[in-house]
Amino acid sequence: MDNRDRILGAAKKIYAQYGFRGATTRLIAIEAGVNEVTLFRTFGSKAALFEALMLAHVAQSPIPHLPDNPLDPEREMTDWCASVLRHMRENNALIRTSFGEMEERPEAAVSMCEGPNCAAMILTDYVLRLQSMGIAAADGDIPTSVAMLMSTMFGDAISRGVMPNGFPEPESEAPAKYVRVFMRALGVTAARHRTPVVRSAAGD
């Protein structure tokens, strides 16, 4: 790992713990195992370092895709939900700090939401495909359902530790439970309950 990556990793940890004002370049340099001169030579300033940190977070945010040709919506969306939620949970301290400083540094909160916003668009496109295939109800309220699922995952990621009775248990089964409620809201039929389409042979 080069100095740049070490400093970014240290900045992420220190910022999540102390916020922007408390995350001094001295603390970051100590955490990274470099001196402050190296930090400033690499990034130029504390502001530039944190801009690079937010850009790196966006670039490293996994945006799992959903299949163009859905076969098993419940399994596909559960795997997708688990991946998105896992990333949110791994970065929950960073998300909380960024949201707590929203008034002073709104760009940080915007960066934290970049990945989830892209994920929401991917999920919306997927449900639209389900509708076009007759797997989801034609009159389903997709924007509201997607907003509720994404908000639920955000709440789970940042609040589960302080609201132990507010989310499904065990934690590992939460994605599947969220997806089942989401499917019901949009009238999505599970693969095992779907009536297969029988196409007649040409000329019949």
Side-chain angles (χ1 to χ4, degrees):
M1 183 183 296
D2 63 18
N3 283 339
R4 180 182 176 84
D5 288 340
R6 279 201 298 272
I7 294 168
L8 285 172
K12 178 178 179 179
K13 179 178 179 179
I14 298 298
Y15 170 67
Q17 186 173 357
Y18 297 107
F20 182 77
R21 291 184 182 277
T24 64
T25 54
R26 180 174 179 274
L27 283 176
I28 294 169
I30 292 172
E31 179 68 28
V34 302
N35 57 48
E36 285 186 87
V37 173
T38 299
L39 186 153
F40 285 112
R41 282 177 178 170
T42 304
F43 292 97
S45 67
K46 177 180 173 179
L49 166 58
F50 277 88
E51 181 178 355
L53 172 61
M54 294 306 160
L55 289 174
H57 177 80
V58 171
Q60 295 167 5
S61 296
I63 309 296
H65 289 281
L66 286 158
D68 291 333
N69 298 305
L71 297 175
D72 187 342
E74 184 171 356
R75 177 183 59 78
E76 291 160 359
M77 283 193 286
T78 298
D79 291 345
W80 178 90
C81 182
S83 178
V84 174
L85 183 53
R86 181 167 53 251
H87 179 70
M88 289 180 179
R89 287 172 175 166
E90 290 170 352
N91 291 275
N92 59 8
L94 190 64
I95 294 170
R96 281 195 294 265
T97 299
S98 299
F99 276 46
E101 298 185 341
M102 188 181 298
E103 291 187 5
E104 185 176 359
R105 302 182 65 250
E107 69 280 0
V110 170
S111 294
M112 291 301 105
C113 292
E114 190 73 24
N117 283 338
C118 290
M121 289 188 287
I122 289 171
L123 180 59
T124 297
D125 289 343
Y126 178 79
V127 178
L128 286 170
R129 291 196 293 277
L130 296 181
Q131 280 187 335
S132 70
M133 298 169 67
I135 297 172
D139 60 351
D141 187 345
I142 298 176
T144 301
S145 299
V146 170
M148 290 179 67
L149 177 58
M150 297 306 300
S151 298
T152 296
M153 288 195 288
F154 249 108
D156 184 311
I158 68 175
S159 303
R160 179 178 283 269
V162 295
M163 296 176 60
N165 299 318
F167 300 94
E169 292 290 352
E171 182 177 323
S172 60
E173 294 183 12
K177 293 180 178 181
Y178 295 151
V179 167
R180 283 196 288 271
V181 173
F182 180 76
M183 289 175 61
R184 285 199 295 272
L186 290 170
V188 178
T189 55
R192 61 184 177 276
H193 296 145
R194 200 175 307 137
T195 302
V197 177
V198 179
R199 292 183 174 84
S200 60
D204 287 355

